[in-house]
């Protein structure tokens, strides 16, 4: 009887620029409800998934036109992209040993910031 929720890194950061994104705000509201529910939970707050730019820009990146431009979500600021495989691995570990993760929240990011510059 343990709830594991995937959330967004900026979901509960008041005043953060990402709070203007309805889906981010909705994640934060769900996170608040879960943490106040009395249920056993773990919230995994992931940064931007590193696969998203590759999915949406794959054709351009594979084209013969070089150098290919890579656009991310940073708008000139660093973003610590995280691998969806790493997020899945953390979720599996939490699910296999939930008691060690009762009522905890983890921020999942990549090892260093990448910019779209």
């Amino acid at each position: 009887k343990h709830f594991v929720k995937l959330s967004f890194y900026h979901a509960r950061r008041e005043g953060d620029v990402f709070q203007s994104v309805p889906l981010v705000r909705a994640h934060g509201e769900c996170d608040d409800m879960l943490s106040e529910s009395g249920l056993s939970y773990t919230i995994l707050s992931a940064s931007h998934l590193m696969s998203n730019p590759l999915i949406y820009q794959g054709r351009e990146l594979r084209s013969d036109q070089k150098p290919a431009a890579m656009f991310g979500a940073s708008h000139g600021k660093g973003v610590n992209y995280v691998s969806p495989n790493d997020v899945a691995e953390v979720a599996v570990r939490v699910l296999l040993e939930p008691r060690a993760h009762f009522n905890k929240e983890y921020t999942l990011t990549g090892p260093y910031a990448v910019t779209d510059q």
Side-chain angles (χ1 to χ4, degrees):
K1 314 281 185 210
H2 184 74
F3 198 99
V4 179
K5 180 185 179 296
L6 178 61
S7 188
F8 188 71
Y9 176 65
H10 302 272
R12 294 170 91 182
R13 301 177 101 188
E14 282 191 41
D16 191 289
V17 67
F18 286 100
Q19 289 298 309
S20 65
V21 179
L23 182 61
V24 174
R25 274 197 323 273
H27 269 290
E29 292 167 5
C30 289
D31 295 350
D32 288 341
M33 285 188 280
L34 180 58
S35 66
E36 296 167 4
S37 70
L39 296 171
S40 169
Y41 69 90
T42 303
I43 298 174
L44 306 178
S45 298
S47 182
H48 296 274
L49 298 178
M50 70 185 337
S51 58
N52 287 351
L54 299 175
I55 290 169
Y56 296 112
Q57 298 176 53
R59 182 177 304 146
E60 290 84 7
L61 294 172
R62 289 187 299 272
S63 76
D64 292 334
Q65 185 178 359
K66 301 295 179 211
M70 171 74 170
F71 298 98
S74 68
H75 299 287
K77 297 179 181 170
V79 173
N80 290 64
Y81 289 97
V82 64
S83 167
N85 295 345
D86 292 342
V87 174
E89 182 177 339
V90 172
V92 167
R93 289 176 186 224
V94 169
L95 290 167
L96 289 175
E97 295 200 35
R99 289 194 191 278
H101 307 284
F102 276 7
N103 303 332
K104 293 190 179 177
E105 299 180 31
Y106 299 106
T107 300
L108 309 176
T109 67
Y112 56 87
V114 176
T115 66
D116 57 6
Q117 300 294 320

